[in-house]
Amino acid sequence: MRIVVLVSGTGSNLQAVIDAVKAGGLDVEIAAVGADRPGTYGVERSAAAGIPTFVVDFKSYADRASWNAALTSAVEGYTPDVVVSSGFMRIVSPAFIEAFDGKYLNTHPALLPAFPGAHGVRDAMAYGVKVTGCTVHWADAGVDTGPIIAQEAVVIAPEDTEDTLHERIKIVERRLLVATLAALAAGQPNAGHPN
Ligand code: GAR
């Protein structure tokens, strides 16, 4: 199974995928890692691991449609079976979703459909929920919407800050992402679900 991973930031969840592949515990080929802006640590760490990388810089395009078209053709060039949004903080347009219909996987640091968007951890804390978590799902053209594959809860501690909670969520998120990819690679329809 060939995957392309899209990142906007540090790519620590991506690193868990890289580590699992290197350790022989995940039978996928990371065909490439792409970013929406230059200078991300996600791309830097991928290049250091010998993975092909590309940047389709959002700011270099006149409008979202032309950026989206460039991103779509860059990803298509790697002929992926699955495209993973791993902290990719741009909304892709329906044309991208159509190009990778049923192949675009996203992870989110909240129990969707609660708290979608760029600040899932902060929004959950602000609301005052006592339990949040993370979600791995097939992404559609909405903001963190689409069929849910796997979820796991994380309890919010009274002393949590956004950073401490997000880090605890990411530990779970990495495990769910790797398990989901492993199940997909093994052709299991219930990919990632613990049951
Ligand atoms: C992850 O928690 C991911 O779920 C989140 O960004 C973080 C990326 O961390 N994505 C979203 O909030 C998407 N709405 P990383 O760059 O360290 O892997």
mmCIF file of all heavy atoms in Angstrom, residues 9-16 41 45 108-110 120-122 125 132-134 152-157 159-176:
data_model
loop_
_atom_site.group_PDB
_atom_site.id
_atom_site.type_symbol
_atom_site.label_atom_id
_atom_site.label_comp_id
_atom_site.label_asym_id
_atom_site.label_seq_id
_atom_site.Cartn_x
_atom_site.Cartn_y
_atom_site.Cartn_z
ATOM 1 N N GLY A 9 2.985 20.960 9.870
ATOM 2 C CA GLY A 9 3.771 21.344 11.041
ATOM 3 C C GLY A 9 4.850 20.350 11.393
ATOM 4 O O GLY A 9 5.594 19.887 10.530
ATOM 5 N N THR A 10 4.878 19.991 12.686
ATOM 6 C CA THR A 10 5.995 19.185 13.180
ATOM 7 C C THR A 10 5.989 17.745 12.668
ATOM 8 O O THR A 10 7.040 17.139 12.562
ATOM 9 C CB THR A 10 5.980 19.115 14.720
ATOM 10 O OG1 THR A 10 4.649 18.869 15.136
ATOM 11 C CG2 THR A 10 6.449 20.382 15.354
ATOM 12 N N GLY A 11 4.819 17.201 12.422
ATOM 13 C CA GLY A 11 4.762 15.846 11.877
ATOM 14 C C GLY A 11 5.167 14.770 12.873
ATOM 15 O O GLY A 11 5.748 13.753 12.497
ATOM 16 N N SER A 12 4.804 14.959 14.147
ATOM 17 C CA SER A 12 5.166 13.914 15.120
ATOM 18 C C SER A 12 4.326 12.650 14.902
ATOM 19 O O SER A 12 4.799 11.537 15.160
ATOM 20 C CB SER A 12 5.042 14.428 16.557
ATOM 21 O OG SER A 12 3.700 14.666 16.888
ATOM 22 N N ASN A 13 3.092 12.812 14.441
ATOM 23 C CA ASN A 13 2.292 11.620 14.130
ATOM 24 C C ASN A 13 2.866 10.900 12.912
ATOM 25 O O ASN A 13 2.929 9.674 12.872
ATOM 26 C CB ASN A 13 0.831 12.004 13.890
ATOM 27 C CG ASN A 13 0.133 12.422 15.174
ATOM 28 O OD1 ASN A 13 0.706 12.357 16.254
ATOM 29 N ND2 ASN A 13 -1.104 12.860 15.057
ATOM 30 N N LEU A 14 3.279 11.678 11.927
ATOM 31 C CA LEU A 14 3.976 11.102 10.764
ATOM 32 C C LEU A 14 5.207 10.313 11.219
ATOM 33 O O LEU A 14 5.484 9.231 10.702
ATOM 34 C CB LEU A 14 4.387 12.232 9.805
ATOM 35 C CG LEU A 14 5.501 11.921 8.813
ATOM 36 C CD1 LEU A 14 5.059 10.883 7.801
ATOM 37 C CD2 LEU A 14 5.952 13.195 8.108
ATOM 38 N N GLN A 15 5.951 10.863 12.196
ATOM 39 C CA GLN A 15 7.160 10.169 12.675
ATOM 40 C C GLN A 15 6.799 8.782 13.216
ATOM 41 O O GLN A 15 7.565 7.821 13.029
ATOM 42 C CB GLN A 15 7.847 10.994 13.767
ATOM 43 C CG GLN A 15 9.184 10.400 14.222
ATOM 44 C CD GLN A 15 10.237 10.434 13.114
ATOM 45 O OE1 GLN A 15 10.501 11.484 12.539
ATOM 46 N NE2 GLN A 15 10.852 9.283 12.819
ATOM 47 N N ALA A 16 5.649 8.682 13.863
ATOM 48 C CA ALA A 16 5.225 7.364 14.377
ATOM 49 C C ALA A 16 5.010 6.388 13.226
ATOM 50 O O ALA A 16 5.323 5.199 13.341
ATOM 51 C CB ALA A 16 3.942 7.514 15.197
ATOM 52 N N TYR A 41 8.875 21.135 9.893
ATOM 53 C CA TYR A 41 9.729 20.088 10.449
ATOM 54 C C TYR A 41 9.287 18.720 9.928
ATOM 55 O O TYR A 41 10.102 17.796 9.792
ATOM 56 C CB TYR A 41 9.700 20.140 11.982
ATOM 57 C CG TYR A 41 10.694 19.205 12.629
ATOM 58 C CD1 TYR A 41 12.020 19.139 12.183
ATOM 59 C CD2 TYR A 41 10.320 18.373 13.673
ATOM 60 C CE1 TYR A 41 12.931 18.273 12.765
ATOM 61 C CE2 TYR A 41 11.229 17.499 14.262
ATOM 62 C CZ TYR A 41 12.523 17.456 13.801
ATOM 63 O OH TYR A 41 13.423 16.586 14.374
ATOM 64 N N ARG A 45 12.072 16.248 8.607
ATOM 65 C CA ARG A 45 12.343 14.922 9.191
ATOM 66 C C ARG A 45 12.117 13.800 8.168
ATOM 67 O O ARG A 45 12.770 12.772 8.219
ATOM 68 C CB ARG A 45 11.554 14.693 10.477
ATOM 69 C CG ARG A 45 10.084 14.613 10.338
ATOM 70 C CD ARG A 45 9.455 14.028 11.613
ATOM 71 N NE ARG A 45 8.954 15.010 12.563
ATOM 72 C CZ ARG A 45 9.055 14.866 13.888
ATOM 73 N NH1 ARG A 45 9.655 13.832 14.410
ATOM 74 N NH2 ARG A 45 8.541 15.751 14.707
ATOM 75 N N HIS A 108 -7.764 13.666 13.807
ATOM 76 C CA HIS A 108 -8.202 14.904 14.461
ATOM 77 C C HIS A 108 -8.146 14.725 15.976
ATOM 78 O O HIS A 108 -8.573 13.684 16.494
ATOM 79 C CB HIS A 108 -9.621 15.259 14.011
ATOM 80 C CG HIS A 108 -10.082 16.559 14.582
ATOM 81 N ND1 HIS A 108 -9.577 17.777 14.167
ATOM 82 C CD2 HIS A 108 -10.978 16.837 15.563
ATOM 83 C CE1 HIS A 108 -10.140 18.749 14.860
ATOM 84 N NE2 HIS A 108 -10.994 18.207 15.713
ATOM 85 N N PRO A 109 -7.675 15.745 16.713
ATOM 86 C CA PRO A 109 -7.519 15.599 18.159
ATOM 87 C C PRO A 109 -8.781 15.947 18.951
ATOM 88 O O PRO A 109 -8.743 16.775 19.865
ATOM 89 C CB PRO A 109 -6.368 16.570 18.467
ATOM 90 C CG PRO A 109 -6.562 17.674 17.479
ATOM 91 C CD PRO A 109 -7.114 17.020 16.233
ATOM 92 N N ALA A 110 -9.887 15.324 18.588
ATOM 93 C CA ALA A 110 -11.139 15.455 19.349
ATOM 94 C C ALA A 110 -12.046 14.301 18.917
ATOM 95 O O ALA A 110 -11.760 13.622 17.925
ATOM 96 C CB ALA A 110 -11.815 16.799 19.079
ATOM 97 N N GLY A 120 -9.158 21.887 17.909
ATOM 98 C CA GLY A 120 -9.995 20.872 18.544
ATOM 99 C C GLY A 120 -9.709 20.698 20.023
ATOM 100 O O GLY A 120 -10.627 20.479 20.822
ATOM 101 N N VAL A 121 -8.439 20.799 20.420
ATOM 102 C CA VAL A 121 -8.075 20.610 21.833
ATOM 103 C C VAL A 121 -8.518 21.827 22.651
ATOM 104 O O VAL A 121 -9.191 21.701 23.683
ATOM 105 C CB VAL A 121 -6.549 20.382 21.961
ATOM 106 C CG1 VAL A 121 -6.163 20.198 23.423
ATOM 107 C CG2 VAL A 121 -6.114 19.173 21.131
ATOM 108 N N ARG A 122 -8.183 22.994 22.144
ATOM 109 C CA ARG A 122 -8.542 24.251 22.829
ATOM 110 C C ARG A 122 -10.055 24.385 22.973
ATOM 111 O O ARG A 122 -10.567 24.760 24.031
ATOM 112 C CB ARG A 122 -7.989 25.434 22.016
ATOM 113 C CG ARG A 122 -8.132 26.776 22.708
ATOM 114 C CD ARG A 122 -7.675 27.902 21.794
ATOM 115 N NE ARG A 122 -6.349 27.659 21.251
ATOM 116 C CZ ARG A 122 -5.797 28.380 20.266
ATOM 117 N NH1 ARG A 122 -6.464 29.368 19.705
ATOM 118 N NH2 ARG A 122 -4.579 28.106 19.837
ATOM 119 N N MET A 125 -11.483 22.101 25.679
ATOM 120 C CA MET A 125 -11.198 22.622 27.025
ATOM 121 C C MET A 125 -12.087 23.824 27.332
ATOM 122 O O MET A 125 -12.614 23.955 28.436
ATOM 123 C CB MET A 125 -9.723 23.020 27.136
ATOM 124 C CG MET A 125 -8.779 21.828 27.102
ATOM 125 S SD MET A 125 -7.071 22.298 27.420
ATOM 126 C CE MET A 125 -7.068 22.293 29.215
ATOM 127 N N THR A 132 -12.309 14.021 26.155
ATOM 128 C CA THR A 132 -12.204 14.296 24.726
ATOM 129 C C THR A 132 -11.480 13.106 24.112
ATOM 130 O O THR A 132 -11.646 11.996 24.591
ATOM 131 C CB THR A 132 -11.532 15.668 24.458
ATOM 132 O OG1 THR A 132 -11.533 15.925 23.065
ATOM 133 C CG2 THR A 132 -10.135 15.754 25.027
ATOM 134 N N GLY A 133 -10.683 13.309 23.066
ATOM 135 C CA GLY A 133 -10.008 12.154 22.488
ATOM 136 C C GLY A 133 -9.525 12.433 21.087
ATOM 137 O O GLY A 133 -9.164 13.570 20.763
ATOM 138 N N CYS A 134 -9.526 11.419 20.257
ATOM 139 C CA CYS A 134 -9.067 11.617 18.881
ATOM 140 C C CYS A 134 -9.858 10.709 17.949
ATOM 141 O O CYS A 134 -10.477 9.727 18.375
ATOM 142 C CB CYS A 134 -7.568 11.362 18.758
ATOM 143 S SG CYS A 134 -7.068 9.773 19.364
ATOM 144 N N GLU A 152 -10.824 7.125 20.112
ATOM 145 C CA GLU A 152 -10.498 6.707 21.478
ATOM 146 C C GLU A 152 -10.586 7.929 22.390
ATOM 147 O O GLU A 152 -10.202 9.037 22.002
ATOM 148 C CB GLU A 152 -9.095 6.083 21.524
ATOM 149 C CG GLU A 152 -8.913 5.210 22.750
ATOM 150 C CD GLU A 152 -7.662 4.331 22.664
ATOM 151 O OE1 GLU A 152 -7.519 3.577 21.664
ATOM 152 O OE2 GLU A 152 -6.852 4.413 23.593
ATOM 153 N N ALA A 153 -11.085 7.692 23.585
ATOM 154 C CA ALA A 153 -11.291 8.790 24.537
ATOM 155 C C ALA A 153 -10.028 9.085 25.335
ATOM 156 O O ALA A 153 -9.226 8.186 25.601
ATOM 157 C CB ALA A 153 -12.431 8.434 25.486
ATOM 158 N N VAL A 154 -9.873 10.340 25.714
ATOM 159 C CA VAL A 154 -8.801 10.774 26.621
ATOM 160 C C VAL A 154 -9.453 11.678 27.669
ATOM 161 O O VAL A 154 -10.178 12.617 27.323
ATOM 162 C CB VAL A 154 -7.705 11.557 25.851
ATOM 163 C CG1 VAL A 154 -6.676 12.143 26.817
ATOM 164 C CG2 VAL A 154 -7.025 10.664 24.816
ATOM 165 N N VAL A 155 -9.209 11.364 28.941
ATOM 166 C CA VAL A 155 -9.803 12.145 30.027
ATOM 167 C C VAL A 155 -9.012 13.446 30.211
ATOM 168 O O VAL A 155 -7.777 13.448 30.169
ATOM 169 C CB VAL A 155 -9.797 11.314 31.335
ATOM 170 C CG1 VAL A 155 -10.224 12.163 32.531
ATOM 171 C CG2 VAL A 155 -10.712 10.098 31.185
ATOM 172 N N ILE A 156 -9.733 14.551 30.393
ATOM 173 C CA ILE A 156 -9.083 15.846 30.636
ATOM 174 C C ILE A 156 -8.850 15.987 32.140
ATOM 175 O O ILE A 156 -9.792 15.871 32.939
ATOM 176 C CB ILE A 156 -9.956 17.005 30.117
ATOM 177 C CG1 ILE A 156 -10.232 16.832 28.612
ATOM 178 C CG2 ILE A 156 -9.270 18.348 30.401
ATOM 179 C CD1 ILE A 156 -11.110 17.914 28.007
ATOM 180 N N ALA A 157 -7.596 16.215 32.531
ATOM 181 C CA ALA A 157 -7.261 16.387 33.946
ATOM 182 C C ALA A 157 -7.420 17.859 34.323
ATOM 183 O O ALA A 157 -7.221 18.735 33.485
ATOM 184 C CB ALA A 157 -5.828 15.931 34.195
ATOM 185 N N GLU A 159 -5.589 19.830 35.867
ATOM 186 C CA GLU A 159 -4.366 20.625 35.717
ATOM 187 C C GLU A 159 -3.889 20.723 34.269
ATOM 188 O O GLU A 159 -2.849 21.330 33.990
ATOM 189 C CB GLU A 159 -3.250 20.062 36.615
ATOM 190 C CG GLU A 159 -2.753 18.655 36.260
ATOM 191 C CD GLU A 159 -3.601 17.525 36.854
ATOM 192 O OE1 GLU A 159 -4.747 17.775 37.291
ATOM 193 O OE2 GLU A 159 -3.124 16.369 36.842
ATOM 194 N N ASP A 160 -4.638 20.134 33.333
ATOM 195 C CA ASP A 160 -4.191 20.140 31.934
ATOM 196 C C ASP A 160 -4.112 21.551 31.347
ATOM 197 O O ASP A 160 -4.960 22.400 31.620
ATOM 198 C CB ASP A 160 -5.163 19.317 31.059
ATOM 199 C CG ASP A 160 -4.680 17.896 30.813
ATOM 200 O OD1 ASP A 160 -3.455 17.697 30.751
ATOM 201 O OD2 ASP A 160 -5.533 17.001 30.694
ATOM 202 N N THR A 161 -3.089 21.764 30.522
ATOM 203 C CA THR A 161 -3.057 22.920 29.631
ATOM 204 C C THR A 161 -3.350 22.368 28.237
ATOM 205 O O THR A 161 -3.351 21.143 28.035
ATOM 206 C CB THR A 161 -1.673 23.574 29.628
ATOM 207 O OG1 THR A 161 -0.734 22.616 29.098
ATOM 208 C CG2 THR A 161 -1.238 24.003 31.030
ATOM 209 N N GLU A 162 -3.546 23.266 27.277
ATOM 210 C CA GLU A 162 -3.796 22.797 25.907
ATOM 211 C C GLU A 162 -2.633 21.911 25.448
ATOM 212 O O GLU A 162 -2.845 20.871 24.818
ATOM 213 C CB GLU A 162 -3.967 24.002 24.973
ATOM 214 C CG GLU A 162 -4.290 23.582 23.542
ATOM 215 C CD GLU A 162 -4.484 24.779 22.600
ATOM 216 O OE1 GLU A 162 -4.548 25.935 23.080
ATOM 217 O OE2 GLU A 162 -4.555 24.545 21.388
ATOM 218 N N ASP A 163 -1.416 22.302 25.789
ATOM 219 C CA ASP A 163 -0.238 21.546 25.343
ATOM 220 C C ASP A 163 -0.155 20.169 25.985
ATOM 221 O O ASP A 163 0.123 19.176 25.306
ATOM 222 C CB ASP A 163 1.053 22.319 25.651
ATOM 223 C CG ASP A 163 1.258 23.464 24.677
ATOM 224 O OD1 ASP A 163 0.539 23.512 23.656
ATOM 225 O OD2 ASP A 163 2.121 24.312 24.945
ATOM 226 N N THR A 164 -0.379 20.095 27.310
ATOM 227 C CA THR A 164 -0.247 18.780 27.968
ATOM 228 C C THR A 164 -1.350 17.833 27.486
ATOM 229 O O THR A 164 -1.105 16.651 27.243
ATOM 230 C CB THR A 164 -0.310 18.893 29.511
ATOM 231 O OG1 THR A 164 -1.568 19.452 29.904
ATOM 232 C CG2 THR A 164 0.833 19.746 30.051
ATOM 233 N N LEU A 165 -2.548 18.388 27.308
ATOM 234 C CA LEU A 165 -3.653 17.543 26.840
ATOM 235 C C LEU A 165 -3.405 17.095 25.399
ATOM 236 O O LEU A 165 -3.580 15.913 25.067
ATOM 237 C CB LEU A 165 -4.976 18.313 26.943
ATOM 238 C CG LEU A 165 -6.214 17.592 26.415
ATOM 239 C CD1 LEU A 165 -6.434 16.258 27.139
ATOM 240 C CD2 LEU A 165 -7.454 18.475 26.557
ATOM 241 N N HIS A 166 -2.963 18.032 24.548
ATOM 242 C CA HIS A 166 -2.736 17.671 23.142
ATOM 243 C C HIS A 166 -1.657 16.591 23.041
ATOM 244 O O HIS A 166 -1.769 15.652 22.257
ATOM 245 C CB HIS A 166 -2.343 18.909 22.328
ATOM 246 C CG HIS A 166 -2.513 18.736 20.848
ATOM 247 N ND1 HIS A 166 -2.432 19.753 19.951
ATOM 248 C CD2 HIS A 166 -2.765 17.622 20.096
ATOM 249 C CE1 HIS A 166 -2.630 19.289 18.718
ATOM 250 N NE2 HIS A 166 -2.823 18.002 18.785
ATOM 251 N N GLU A 167 -0.632 16.705 23.860
ATOM 252 C CA GLU A 167 0.438 15.705 23.813
ATOM 253 C C GLU A 167 -0.096 14.334 24.219
ATOM 254 O O GLU A 167 0.248 13.324 23.597
ATOM 255 C CB GLU A 167 1.604 16.145 24.722
ATOM 256 C CG GLU A 167 2.937 15.538 24.345
ATOM 257 C CD GLU A 167 3.202 15.454 22.836
ATOM 258 O OE1 GLU A 167 3.135 16.497 22.147
ATOM 259 O OE2 GLU A 167 3.475 14.339 22.332
ATOM 260 N N ARG A 168 -0.955 14.287 25.258
ATOM 261 C CA ARG A 168 -1.534 13.001 25.671
ATOM 262 C C ARG A 168 -2.457 12.434 24.589
ATOM 263 O O ARG A 168 -2.499 11.229 24.352
ATOM 264 C CB ARG A 168 -2.283 13.167 26.993
ATOM 265 C CG ARG A 168 -1.714 12.259 28.040
ATOM 266 C CD ARG A 168 -2.213 12.349 29.451
ATOM 267 N NE ARG A 168 -3.551 12.750 29.689
ATOM 268 C CZ ARG A 168 -3.928 13.996 30.004
ATOM 269 N NH1 ARG A 168 -3.023 14.958 30.094
ATOM 270 N NH2 ARG A 168 -5.182 14.277 30.231
ATOM 271 N N ILE A 169 -3.194 13.332 23.939
ATOM 272 C CA ILE A 169 -4.065 12.882 22.838
ATOM 273 C C ILE A 169 -3.220 12.326 21.693
ATOM 274 O O ILE A 169 -3.544 11.292 21.103
ATOM 275 C CB ILE A 169 -4.957 14.047 22.344
ATOM 276 C CG1 ILE A 169 -6.003 14.409 23.400
ATOM 277 C CG2 ILE A 169 -5.634 13.687 21.020
ATOM 278 C CD1 ILE A 169 -6.783 15.678 23.096
ATOM 279 N N LYS A 170 -2.119 13.017 21.393
ATOM 280 C CA LYS A 170 -1.281 12.568 20.264
ATOM 281 C C LYS A 170 -0.694 11.178 20.492
ATOM 282 O O LYS A 170 -0.483 10.432 19.539
ATOM 283 C CB LYS A 170 -0.159 13.572 20.011
ATOM 284 C CG LYS A 170 -0.588 14.802 19.230
ATOM 285 C CD LYS A 170 0.668 15.520 18.757
ATOM 286 C CE LYS A 170 0.415 16.917 18.299
ATOM 287 N NZ LYS A 170 1.665 17.555 17.850
ATOM 288 N N ILE A 171 -0.420 10.841 21.744
ATOM 289 C CA ILE A 171 0.105 9.494 22.023
ATOM 290 C C ILE A 171 -0.916 8.453 21.562
ATOM 291 O O ILE A 171 -0.578 7.460 20.909
ATOM 292 C CB ILE A 171 0.434 9.349 23.535
ATOM 293 C CG1 ILE A 171 1.648 10.217 23.872
ATOM 294 C CG2 ILE A 171 0.682 7.894 23.922
ATOM 295 C CD1 ILE A 171 1.898 10.409 25.361
ATOM 296 N N VAL A 172 -2.193 8.709 21.859
ATOM 297 C CA VAL A 172 -3.260 7.799 21.436
ATOM 298 C C VAL A 172 -3.451 7.876 19.918
ATOM 299 O O VAL A 172 -3.619 6.864 19.231
ATOM 300 C CB VAL A 172 -4.576 8.152 22.173
ATOM 301 C CG1 VAL A 172 -5.700 7.229 21.723
ATOM 302 C CG2 VAL A 172 -4.382 8.083 23.668
ATOM 303 N N GLU A 173 -3.406 9.096 19.408
ATOM 304 C CA GLU A 173 -3.635 9.346 17.976
ATOM 305 C C GLU A 173 -2.615 8.581 17.122
ATOM 306 O O GLU A 173 -2.971 7.991 16.104
ATOM 307 C CB GLU A 173 -3.482 10.858 17.759
ATOM 308 C CG GLU A 173 -4.262 11.410 16.611
ATOM 309 C CD GLU A 173 -4.097 12.926 16.499
ATOM 310 O OE1 GLU A 173 -3.537 13.574 17.418
ATOM 311 O OE2 GLU A 173 -4.505 13.455 15.469
ATOM 312 N N ARG A 174 -1.353 8.599 17.563
ATOM 313 C CA ARG A 174 -0.302 7.897 16.810
ATOM 314 C C ARG A 174 -0.598 6.412 16.742
ATOM 315 O O ARG A 174 -0.463 5.781 15.694
ATOM 316 C CB ARG A 174 1.055 8.139 17.478
ATOM 317 C CG ARG A 174 1.533 9.558 17.312
ATOM 318 C CD ARG A 174 2.777 9.847 18.155
ATOM 319 N NE ARG A 174 2.975 11.281 18.197
ATOM 320 C CZ ARG A 174 3.245 11.980 19.297
ATOM 321 N NH1 ARG A 174 3.400 11.398 20.460
ATOM 322 N NH2 ARG A 174 3.381 13.295 19.227
ATOM 323 N N ARG A 175 -1.016 5.849 17.876
ATOM 324 C CA ARG A 175 -1.309 4.408 17.917
ATOM 325 C C ARG A 175 -2.491 4.085 16.995
ATOM 326 O O ARG A 175 -2.454 3.118 16.243
ATOM 327 C CB ARG A 175 -1.590 4.002 19.377
ATOM 328 C CG ARG A 175 -2.004 2.570 19.532
ATOM 329 C CD ARG A 175 -1.907 2.076 20.978
ATOM 330 N NE ARG A 175 -2.460 2.947 21.987
ATOM 331 C CZ ARG A 175 -3.759 3.131 22.213
ATOM 332 N NH1 ARG A 175 -4.658 2.519 21.460
ATOM 333 N NH2 ARG A 175 -4.173 3.932 23.176
ATOM 334 N N LEU A 176 -3.546 4.920 17.052
ATOM 335 C CA LEU A 176 -4.727 4.667 16.206
ATOM 336 C C LEU A 176 -4.388 4.811 14.725
ATOM 337 O O LEU A 176 -4.864 4.036 13.900
ATOM 338 C CB LEU A 176 -5.852 5.655 16.531
ATOM 339 C CG LEU A 176 -6.706 5.412 17.768
ATOM 340 C CD1 LEU A 176 -7.947 6.309 17.717
ATOM 341 C CD2 LEU A 176 -7.121 3.970 17.898
#
